[in-house]
Amino acid sequence: MTTPRKPRGPYRKGLERREQILRAALEVFGDHGERGASLKEIADRVGMSQAGVLHYFGSREELLVAVLEERDARGGRATAHVTSPGEALATTAARNTGERGLVDLFVTLSAAASDPAHPAHAFFTRRYDELTDSLATGLREGQRHGRTRDDVRPDQLARMLIALSDGLQLQWLLNPGVDMADTIEAFNRMCLADGEGTDRDPGTDPDPDAGPDPDAPAKT
């Protein structure tokens, strides 16, 4: 089996430069949000001109999309070991409370991208389709194993969960007292099948050989 070759020469340097710009942009947009961030500050952080930065991304809007793509990629790595689709979004929501500027960027850009001519339209269309499919797959698996309620279609539950997550981000920007993760977890509990998650941790099976729980209240 051959080992893939790493990019070399000018092409590799170009990729490294692009990644450097992207890291700087994540920091700047994370600090200031979409309206407060400037291309000049990003360029200054990497020691380039504004025109030099745009050489790697084409336009400010394309740079914004690249920032959100990288944000999603980092979020995917951070939630790689969660046990349910809803848990993944709750974990993401908790992390987002430390990234107010990027939440602002997401909310602002997603609203503008409803225009089919907007540079971010294709990104958000693809993102929602892929996220819906991914969540629905996990929820369908939960239904198959009796963990998730089965009176609602998995794709509908998935879209509800996404809509809740997106709406909470806007509410949190307006009122930082909103607990996004806790609210998503409450919705997750509503999605459980009857009896799931009440007396035991979700995803665990009771031991048929275990005796009565000595701490359980007596039945009357």
Side-chain angles (χ1 to χ4, degrees), residues 86 89-90 93 161 164-165 168 179-188:
L89 286 189
L161 192 51
L164 174 65
S165 177
L168 284 170
D179 192 327
M180 295 187 288
D182 188 60
T183 304
I184 292 173
E185 288 171 353
F187 181 82
N188 292 339

Side-chain angles (χ1 to χ4, degrees), residues 17 21 39-40 42-44 46-55:
R17 196 60 160 160
I21 296 169
L39 191 60
K40 181 180 184 304
I42 296 170
D44 288 345
V46 295
M48 298 177 64
S49 66
Q50 296 180 54
V53 168
L54 293 181
H55 169 75

Side-chain angles (χ1 to χ4, degrees), residues 33-84:
E34 194 276 332
R35 287 170 293 276
S38 71
L39 191 60
K40 181 180 184 304
E41 183 174 353
I42 296 170
D44 288 345
R45 290 198 183 194
V46 295
M48 298 177 64
S49 66
Q50 296 180 54
V53 168
L54 293 181
H55 169 75
Y56 290 93
F57 292 92
S59 68
R60 184 176 186 273
E61 288 75 19
E62 290 181 24
L63 174 59
L64 299 182
V65 171
V67 166
L68 291 180
E69 288 176 334
E70 178 62 19
R71 174 186 183 243
D72 280 354
R74 292 184 179 188
R77 292 191 290 271
T79 58
H81 302 294
V82 297
T83 59
S84 72

Side-chain angles (χ1 to χ4, degrees), residues 193-215:
D194 290 343
E196 282 288 319
T198 54
D199 298 323
R200 56 190 174 87
D201 292 333
T204 61
D205 294 322
D207 184 354
D209 297 324
D213 183 355
D215 296 323

Side-chain angles (χ1 to χ4, degrees), residues 4-200:
R5 294 182 178 179
K6 294 182 179 180
R8 303 175 67 180
Y11 178 64
R12 179 180 178 180
K13 290 181 179 179
L15 288 177
E16 291 174 346
R17 196 60 160 160
R18 191 179 191 277
E19 290 174 0
Q20 182 186 18
I21 296 169
L22 190 53
R23 287 195 299 270
L26 276 163
E27 293 173 357
V28 172
F29 284 112
D31 291 342
H32 305 298
E34 194 276 332
R35 287 170 293 276
S38 71
L39 191 60
K40 181 180 184 304
E41 183 174 353
I42 296 170
D44 288 345
R45 290 198 183 194
V46 295
M48 298 177 64
S49 66
Q50 296 180 54
V53 168
L54 293 181
H55 169 75
Y56 290 93
F57 292 92
S59 68
R60 184 176 186 273
E61 288 75 19
E62 290 181 24
L63 174 59
L64 299 182
V65 171
V67 166
L68 291 180
E69 288 176 334
E70 178 62 19
R71 174 186 183 243
D72 280 354
R74 292 184 179 188
R77 292 191 290 271
T79 58
H81 302 294
V82 297
T83 59
S84 72
E87 183 186 354
L89 286 189
T91 300
T92 298
R95 189 189 69 252
N96 284 348
T97 59
E99 300 178 340
R100 180 180 177 86
L102 293 178
V103 173
D104 175 74
L105 172 61
F106 177 89
V107 169
T108 302
L109 205 61
S110 62
S114 61
D115 179 358
H118 193 279
H121 180 80
F123 164 76
F124 279 101
T125 299
R126 182 180 69 255
R127 181 185 188 276
Y128 281 121
D129 286 345
E130 292 176 352
L131 184 56
T132 299
D133 288 345
S134 176
L135 291 173
T137 296
L139 291 164
R140 190 174 295 109
E141 186 72 5
Q143 289 179 339
R144 189 170 72 86
H145 289 284
R147 295 191 299 267
T148 304
R149 61 186 299 169
D150 59 5
D151 57 336
V152 182
R153 294 201 321 261
D155 63 304
Q156 292 176 324
L157 286 175
R159 292 194 183 279
M160 291 178 196
L161 192 51
I162 295 169
L164 174 65
S165 177
D166 283 5
L168 284 170
Q169 289 187 90
L170 175 57
Q171 293 184 49
W172 177 75
L173 289 174
L174 295 169
N175 176 12
V178 172
D179 192 327
M180 295 187 288
D182 188 60
T183 304
I184 292 173
E185 288 171 353
F187 181 82
N188 292 339
R189 292 193 294 273
M190 292 171 59
C191 294
L192 293 175
D194 290 343
E196 282 288 319
T198 54
D199 298 323
R200 56 190 174 87

